[in-house]
Amino acid sequence: MEEKESLHFIEQIVEEDLAAGKNDKRVHTRFPPEPNGYLHVGHAMSICLNFGLAQKYGGKTNLRFDDTNPATEETEFVESIMNDVKWLGFEWAGEPKFASDYFDQLYAHAVDLIKQGKAYVDDSSAEEVAEMKGTPTVPGTESPYRNRSVEENLRLFEGMKNGEFEDGSKVLRAKIDMANPNMHLRDPFLYRIKRVPHHRTGDKWNIYPMYDMAHGYSDSIEGITHSICTLEFEVHRPLYDWLIDQVEVFHPQQIEFARLNVSYMITSKRKLKQLVEQGFVAGWDDPRMPTISGMRRRGYPAAALRAFCDRAGISKRERLNELSMLEFFVRQDLNKTTTRVMGVLDPVKVVITNYPEDQTEDLEVINNPEDELAGSRKVPFSRELYIEREDFKEEANRKYFRMAPGRTVRLKGAYIVHCEGCVKNEAGEITEIHCTYYPDSRSGSDTSGIKAKGTLHWVSIEHALTAEARIYDTLFTDPQPTNHEDKDFLEFYNENSLKVLDKIYVEPYLAEAKVGERFQFMRKAYFCVDPDSAPGHMVFNQTITLKDGWKGKK
Ligand code: ATP
Ligand code: MG
């Protein structure tokens, strides 16, 4: 790896704060997901940033669920989010936190704002509010309810809380400035009525705080020093600061950075949900999904995802990162960490005609040439084998180093064989390839003096396990499927994003493989054991091919 570049702008801010002794030299960040879906690659970036800063500067990071919208939040999402953060290799401070834990305190702050004359209950309909809002260049108009007395506001707000009013019939608004050029300061909503039970607070509340109301005060309650969010919240910052300034509480600093974008991936939970609900994928953790759980199931190592986020970097300007860069880190990691095994995806039978019929040899094959400590294993060899159909040609030119009549090749970890010819069925398909082997050419003790240019992988038919392989391509045919004004992103769904090979053959060593374990199928690709695997029916996800195929493609 190359050297670490200079500090990014958020690290600079943190270092300046530390040097100035701000916040008693504490660094406390948070990762604040809304539990309304599974985390995606963009969240991985935010996690690496928030937890990474705390690690670097001896601080802490809270995991806080922003569960202020009772209608869309589910416990399933809470569980998956915790699982994903842990898998990425991070540990949050103390128990997971929930914005809903602070509902009493948020309510008290709202009452405080009302008492100061800085918030009011508005009975206007949604249409009236929209009409009064103005535009960025045209000032808004004040609501007729804006000058209600403190007493009336207190009474109405309590009534809202107690469920006396219909959903949507009233809201609590901050009283700031209907002419402010920043639309977020034009008397923003603080609370709305939703007579809906909440996944944690049950039916205690009939009102729920809006994002801006909940977020800054939650940061403050937790003593967050650096509240990091994506750029779209930059325009919310004056409101974030205004709300905190009105009450006597700790004031965290909001800092914005550009969202992570990756080609062929989408980073909108709403759209990912659409893919799940409309059956384009098998679930949130479908290995084609840009979710953390999808990438994990696909076989992407957490370390590769962290390395990618680090390289993509923190900036103030949005840009598109190439999927091939993420894949580079995945390959780099898997190359170092995976056991090399043999698996034949598209089999054709080979008979070694001079090999004894009832003989089996256990050949020693090293597990990973990149890792001295990985050891070796035994692979059974016998008279009948499978090789890849694409590794044989009846007629081949001089540059072809695989198997063809009259040619010699080495069978990986085994012997050099000489190809004699093949047998075909009535349809002209090759059903069997015949070879003879050189008994003194065994790998490791080869005294034959014969040179073989190519090396092929194989499995012994008698010993092979059958398995299913799922081969993936990008989920979309366009690198930025959500960037077309005239087309819905679903129009770019890649119909060929999943190909199932229902009968591949792998060496018997893989019978012991566990769900989530990753392997390199020599000469083919990296594979990961899928949770759909059952005894006697292994399922492998193709994580990624051995070589970058993009250059040829584009
Ligand atoms: P979505 O649009 O997918 O719903 P979100 O921002 O609404 O995303 P949250 O659950 O609120 O989802 O996000 C939690 C944190 O992750 C926030 O701090 C948010 O800024 C950050 N985040 C979300 N998407 C990205 C991204 N693409 N790149 C970096 N950070 C992101
Ligand atoms: Mg959000």
Side-chain angles (χ1 to χ4, degrees):
M1 292 302 297
E2 64 210 56
E3 280 171 54
K4 192 80 194 154
E5 305 124 67
S6 54
L7 301 180
H8 61 66
F9 80 96
I10 301 181
E11 289 170 333
Q12 281 173 19
I13 293 173
V14 170
E15 294 205 356
E16 281 162 23
D17 289 348
L18 287 171
K22 200 176 160 186
N23 303 316
D24 308 321
K25 296 198 171 188
R26 286 184 309 113
V27 174
H28 201 156
T29 58
R30 87 284 172 267
F31 174 63
E34 189 181 340
N36 60 349
Y38 281 55
L39 299 181
H40 54 60
V41 66
H43 295 116
M45 178 65 152
S46 176
I47 292 168
C48 289
L49 173 59
N50 281 293
F51 285 88
L53 279 172
Q55 276 177 354
K56 182 165 180 182
Y57 297 105
K60 291 181 190 169
T61 305
N62 288 1
L63 172 63
R64 183 200 316 142
F65 293 98
D66 176 14
D67 59 347
T68 51
N69 184 2
T72 56
E73 286 140 12
E74 288 177 38
T75 310
E76 176 198 347
F77 299 137
V78 169
E79 307 267 317
S80 76
I81 290 169
M82 294 199 287
N83 195 21
D84 287 350
V85 173
K86 279 190 229 158
W87 176 76
L88 265 180
F90 298 108
E91 218 175 297
W92 51 85
E95 292 294 309
K97 314 277 190 286
F98 292 84
S100 57
D101 292 340
Y102 312 133
F103 280 174
D104 283 314
Q105 227 159 323
L106 297 176
Y107 184 79
H109 287 324
V111 169
D112 190 354
L113 293 173
I114 295 172
K115 286 183 177 161
Q116 296 182 52
K118 289 171 181 163
Y120 62 97
V121 174
D122 195 339
D123 299 359
S124 307
S125 68
E127 298 76 52
E128 287 164 339
V129 168
E131 263 169 39
M132 288 184 284
K133 184 122 207 190
T135 69
T137 49
V138 177
T141 43
E142 295 185 352
S143 162
Y145 304 97
R146 197 172 197 262
N147 294 311
R148 275 177 160 151
S149 69
V150 169
E151 289 67 37
E152 190 182 6
N153 279 319
L154 286 173
R155 188 168 49 71
L156 290 173
F157 187 49
E158 191 170 3
M160 284 168 62
K161 182 187 78 159
N162 293 337
E164 289 167 23
F165 308 114
E166 297 281 318
D167 284 19
S169 63
K170 288 180 175 18
V171 287
L172 183 75
R173 298 178 73 172
K175 193 168 174 179
I176 307 179
D177 176 10
M178 286 306 293
N180 201 293
N182 182 337
M183 302 285 283
H184 293 279
L185 292 177
R186 293 189 186 174
D187 292 10
F189 288 13
L190 301 180
Y191 269 90
R192 66 194 150 161
I193 303 173
K194 270 207 176 193
R195 298 195 294 186
V196 176
H198 183 278
H199 76 127
R200 299 191 81 239
T201 59
D203 52 13
K204 176 172 175 188
W205 296 91
N206 296 293
I207 53 171
Y208 292 94
M210 304 300 291
Y211 173 85
D212 293 296
M213 176 74 198
H215 203 83
Y217 288 138
S218 299
D219 284 344
S220 175
I221 291 166
E222 293 177 7
I224 300 303
T225 55
H226 302 85
S227 174
I228 299 163
C229 55
T230 38
L231 277 184
E232 66 270 26
F233 290 99
E234 194 163 16
V235 285
H236 291 245
R237 181 158 23 102
L239 176 57
Y240 181 99
D241 290 332
W242 184 90
L243 283 165
I244 292 175
D245 283 339
Q246 305 315 307
V247 294
E248 295 263 313
V249 291
F250 173 72
H251 197 138
Q253 179 185 1
Q254 178 180 305
I255 304 165
E256 309 85 15
F257 74 105
R259 337 172 35 92
L260 176 80
N261 300 304
V262 185
S263 61
Y264 297 95
M265 290 187 152
I266 56 175
T267 51
S268 152
K269 271 185 272 182
R270 195 176 53 76
K271 295 196 171 83
L272 293 174
K273 197 183 193 108
Q274 241 177 299
L275 288 166
V276 174
E277 286 177 353
Q278 297 179 25
F280 285 93
V281 293
W284 286 96
D285 69 344
D286 186 300
R288 291 166 290 177
M289 288 281 270
T291 51
I292 295 177
S293 50
M295 291 187 280
R296 173 172 60 237
R297 187 166 171 184
R298 174 86 168 250
Y300 286 15
L305 205 47
R306 291 196 302 264
F308 168 69
C309 290
D310 192 48
R311 178 64 62 86
I314 302 303
S315 111
K316 271 272 181 197
R317 244 187 313 141
E318 274 205 32
R319 63 160 182 271
L320 184 67
N321 292 284
E322 298 296 334
L323 176 59
S324 58
M325 178 164 86
L326 172 54
E327 294 181 339
F328 166 82
F329 286 108
V330 171
R331 282 196 188 91
Q332 182 173 271
D333 185 290
L334 294 177
N335 179 46
K336 278 183 285 183
T337 56
T338 55
T339 294
R340 274 61 171 164
V341 297
M342 293 197 275
V344 175
L345 305 185
D346 181 18
V348 63
K349 183 173 172 180
V350 172
V351 181
I352 319 253
T353 52
N354 62 339
Y355 194 87
E357 275 193 36
D358 48 5
Q359 183 170 312
T360 296
E361 278 175 87
D362 276 332
L363 302 171
E364 184 101 7
V365 174
I366 65 160
N367 286 334
N368 184 354
E370 301 288 321
D371 179 1
E372 282 174 21
L373 302 175
S376 61
R377 68 180 185 290
K378 295 278 200 280
V379 182
F381 182 84
S382 65
R383 179 183 157 93
E384 296 190 342
L385 313 170
Y386 285 127
I387 64 165
E388 299 288 347
R389 200 164 272 280
E390 66 174 18
D391 283 340
F392 175 80
K393 262 191 193 170
E394 257 194 293
E395 281 169 48
N397 67 21
R398 290 167 154 272
K399 296 227 176 84
Y400 190 75
F401 297 133
R402 304 182 199 178
M403 201 180 274
R407 305 283 176 95
T408 48
V409 290
R410 175 168 294 282
L411 296 173
K412 175 73 190 174
Y415 295 95
I416 295 175
V417 294
H418 183 260
C419 180
E420 313 291 341
C422 64
V423 180
K424 292 187 203 172
N425 64 15
E426 284 127 46
E429 294 158 341
I430 294 162
T431 52
E432 237 172 59
I433 297 163
H434 289 180
C435 293
T436 49
Y437 84 121
Y438 300 96
D440 53 356
S441 68
R442 187 168 147 165
S443 286
S445 56
D446 181 358
T447 54
S448 69
I450 299 164
K451 293 263 178 300
K453 281 203 170 128
T455 301
L456 306 184
H457 63 279
W458 51 274
V459 292
S460 162
I461 293 178
E462 187 195 335
H463 305 92
L465 306 172
T466 60
E468 175 183 330
R470 298 178 184 165
I471 313 291
Y472 303 103
D473 194 359
T474 54
L475 190 49
F476 300 101
T477 54
D478 186 278
Q480 292 179 279
T482 56
N483 266 28
H484 299 264
E485 265 165 37
D486 52 332
K487 283 192 178 139
D488 188 69
F489 76 103
L490 291 172
E491 289 185 41
F492 299 99
Y493 174 75
N494 180 3
E495 298 289 346
N496 301 314
S497 54
L498 168 63
K499 195 169 92 186
V500 177
L501 305 178
D502 43 38
K503 209 167 184 193
I504 68 163
Y505 293 90
V506 299
E507 57 173 281
Y509 173 72
L510 289 169
E512 305 294 318
K514 299 194 181 51
V515 170
E517 222 178 317
R518 308 178 184 102
F519 298 92
Q520 184 195 97
F521 285 20
M522 279 188 273
R523 301 180 60 237
K524 298 307 291 182
Y526 293 101
F527 282 88
C528 180
V529 181
D530 190 80
D532 285 348
S533 294
H537 183 76
M538 301 279 288
V539 179
F540 290 95
N541 291 315
Q542 181 175 301
T543 308
I544 195 163
T545 53
L546 295 189
K547 292 208 186 76
D548 187 347
W550 292 101
K551 280 164 210 116
K553 219 188 224 181
K554 313 248 102 181

